[in-house]
Amino acid sequence: MSSAADPLAPLAGLPGVADSVDSVRKAVDRVYGHRVMRRRGGEITSEAALRGARASAALSGADWALEEVRRRTDFGTEEQARTVGAALRLTAEAGQLLSIWRQSPLRVLARLHLVASGSTLPTGAGSAERGGDTVGRPRLAGEPVHEPLIEAPLPSAEEVAGRLDGLSRLVIAGGSAPALITAAVVHGELLALRPFGSYNGLVARAAERIVLINSGLDPKAICPAEVGHAEQGPEAYVAAFEGYVSGTPEGMAAWIAHCGRAVELGVRESTAVCEALQRGAA
């Protein structure tokens, strides 16, 4: 797709966005060049997944200590535990869906919601197999949405269906926009739509992860943006997201910059893990 045909390409020209894209690229290159990555990259990937899941759960209201997440095996007893379990399952599942994302993003989103909800249906199973269940399909008119933290006006089910279709077409078509911009738009759009009855924040951040990996920016999944979103705090997250919802050039630029900073903070987290492993402290 040419720049002229790519609806995301103009976002690269917004004030500060090019600087964010460049800063993220340099930060990612630095951590990929760390000497520990050449010998123990798999360990860094695993640790980044755990820390990213913990951070995503924190933004959804379950702010557990990392060591508590690491040691727990039962995540089905109360709401916070279910949220942490959902975040862990999503992070693990995201890596299995990379090849499907560019071909059928809506199928991936449905699968992510099934996984977050604890469904055991296979990847290709549809919501019809669950009768009237709301899991794994976009919400219908009148169905409630439970989404901690996000209080923006909820689009109608009809609007959700149309915008999801547009997002799907955008992903399938590909484009010239940098990975950071695409990831930020996917994340912001899913958060704005809240297409499912639950776990929309977790799904939106998992989709952002998929874009960052699939684009080649972070192919080994060692730069957990979720960590950076949580580190900047829920108030900053919501404020930046409100910029996305506004649709103004300034608001969009602020959201993309926020997402870029989140990736850089995720890089910093994994760099610290690399250095701890190098010292023999982890």
Side-chain angles (χ1 to χ4, degrees), residues 37-218:
M37 278 299 299
R38 294 194 292 271
R39 298 179 286 108
R40 304 177 71 174
E43 293 174 65
I44 307 302
T45 295
S46 296
E47 190 65 19
L50 181 70
R51 294 177 184 227
R54 189 219 70 82
S56 191
L59 283 172
S60 287
D63 192 1
W64 288 16
L66 179 63
E67 292 311 312
E68 176 68 7
V69 177
R70 198 188 302 278
R71 77 167 186 84
R72 282 285 286 268
T73 57
D74 178 13
F75 297 100
T77 55
E78 45 84 31
E79 185 174 0
Q80 285 201 9
R82 290 195 299 271
T83 298
V84 174
L88 288 167
R89 289 191 299 273
L90 281 174
T91 301
E93 186 72 12
Q96 308 303 312
L97 299 173
L98 300 177
S99 63
I100 306 173
W101 173 253
R102 285 292 299 272
Q103 300 163 359
S104 184
L106 297 185
R107 180 182 168 196
V108 169
L109 294 175
R111 175 63 181 172
L112 290 173
H113 190 244
L114 286 167
V115 169
S117 302
S119 171
T120 57
L121 286 179
T123 302
S127 59
E129 297 180 39
R130 302 183 62 87
D133 204 338
T134 61
V135 174
R137 64 158 175 79
R139 57 186 167 82
L140 303 177
E143 291 180 342
V145 174
H146 174 65
E147 186 53 48
L149 192 62
I150 303 301
E151 298 179 353
L154 198 65
S156 69
E158 182 179 7
E159 182 179 349
V160 167
R163 286 171 65 176
L164 279 178
D165 181 67
L167 184 63
S168 175
R169 292 173 182 272
L170 190 72
V171 170
I172 291 169
S176 60
L180 172 63
I181 293 176
T182 304
V185 168
V186 167
H187 181 173
E189 189 69 357
L190 292 173
L191 211 56
L193 296 178
R194 282 150 287 165
F196 304 109
S198 59
Y199 298 120
N200 289 287
L202 294 180
V203 169
R205 291 184 288 274
E208 178 185 52
R209 166 180 282 266
I210 288 172
V211 173
L212 292 172
I213 298 169
N214 231 10
S215 66
L217 178 65
D218 181 24

Side-chain angles (χ1 to χ4, degrees), residues 6-20:
D6 182 358
L8 299 187
L11 296 178
L14 294 178
V17 169
D19 290 340
S20 292

